[in-house]
Amino acid sequence: MTPTLDQGLPAVVAMGGGHGLAASLRALRRVTSDLTAVVTVADDGGSSGRLRAQFDILPPGDLRMALAALCGDDREGRMWADVLQSRFGGEGPLAGHAIGNLLIAGIWERLGDPVSGLDMVAKLLGVQGRVLPMAAVPLEIEADVIGVDPERPDEVTHIRGQARVAKCPGVVREVRLLPSGPPAFPEAVEAIHAADFVVLGPGSWFTSVLVHLLVPELGEAIVTTKARRILTLNLVAADETAGFTASTHLEALADHAPRLRLDTIVCDPTYARGDKHLATYTASLGAELVVTPVRATDGRPRHDVNRLAGVYADLMGR
């Protein structure tokens, strides 16, 4: 399909999961209403992990967060976002479950189709855009990690499970998806090919961002789409990328998707500063480096939605 930029608002696909994708979506919805989130489905911890194990369904947590990010800015939209994100307290069987997770799981149980179920929830909430799963089956992440045992710093350990990989000590060298070669939903592949822009990141690098490229149909679509590809880098090195520089993030990306080329890489100056390889690695991916403030003005390591929206608007010609 031919990109639609000259027909009005740009068609944008944003990929990732968790708080990083949510920040990107809140920014992008200020730029366009033609917005599709393609969301990781590898979460195996917390409420999502419990529902996944009990009902053999896609983990709903990251999908719920994307839906909440796309709720309206009016009073009703903010109320729905708050309801989706709220969790049951106490110590009973519902304790810790997010209300939105139960809503999504219940609708899936009734309809039997994840995409139709998410579309129904989106319509109920009046969200701006569409939310789609990254793959048609629940996924596990397996990682090769060096230095898990400090007494054996060169030993490679295989860590399995998103929650464990995200918090494991050591340095992640490679991640894989189980089952390997999982199917993607056709709607997600079509959205990527129809997009004017594809936005990757920010987010947990190995468990939310790179994994999209490991779903064969999605990875191929990202590589071959006529859309312009924007990568938004994280603000700090934490958890699974502890000790990583900005350029190390790019190195990991290239290792997992050697055919991928980008158009623009966005990095906050506080993270770009002193990284002598960043410009070279950016050029090796075919991209332009945009170093501009996107961090919260209070200094906290989170993306400022207004700043990020301004950068996206400039890049998309709005």
Side-chain angles (χ1 to χ4, degrees), residues 300-318:
R300 285 186 293 170
R302 62 178 180 83
H303 285 83
D304 182 275
V305 171
N306 291 325
R307 285 179 160 183
L308 202 54
V311 173
Y312 289 149
D314 288 343
L315 293 175
M316 296 176 188
R318 304 309 302 167

Side-chain angles (χ1 to χ4, degrees), residues 7-27:
Q7 299 173 19
L9 294 174
V12 180
V13 173
M15 313 184 80
H19 295 286
L21 177 61
S24 187
L25 291 174
R26 285 194 294 269

Side-chain angles (χ1 to χ4, degrees), residues 30-45:
R30 302 183 184 197
V31 179
T32 184
S33 58
D34 192 347
L35 181 56
T36 302
V38 179
V39 185
T40 180
V41 286
D43 189 5
D44 58 1

Side-chain angles (χ1 to χ4, degrees), residues 22-23 49 101 144 156 255:
N101 287 357
D144 295 339
V156 177
D255 286 344

Side-chain angles (χ1 to χ4, degrees), residues 234-238 270 294-296 298-304:
N234 293 336
L235 298 169
V236 294
T270 60
V294 289
R295 187 177 184 138
D298 61 9
R300 285 186 293 170
R302 62 178 180 83
H303 285 83
D304 182 275

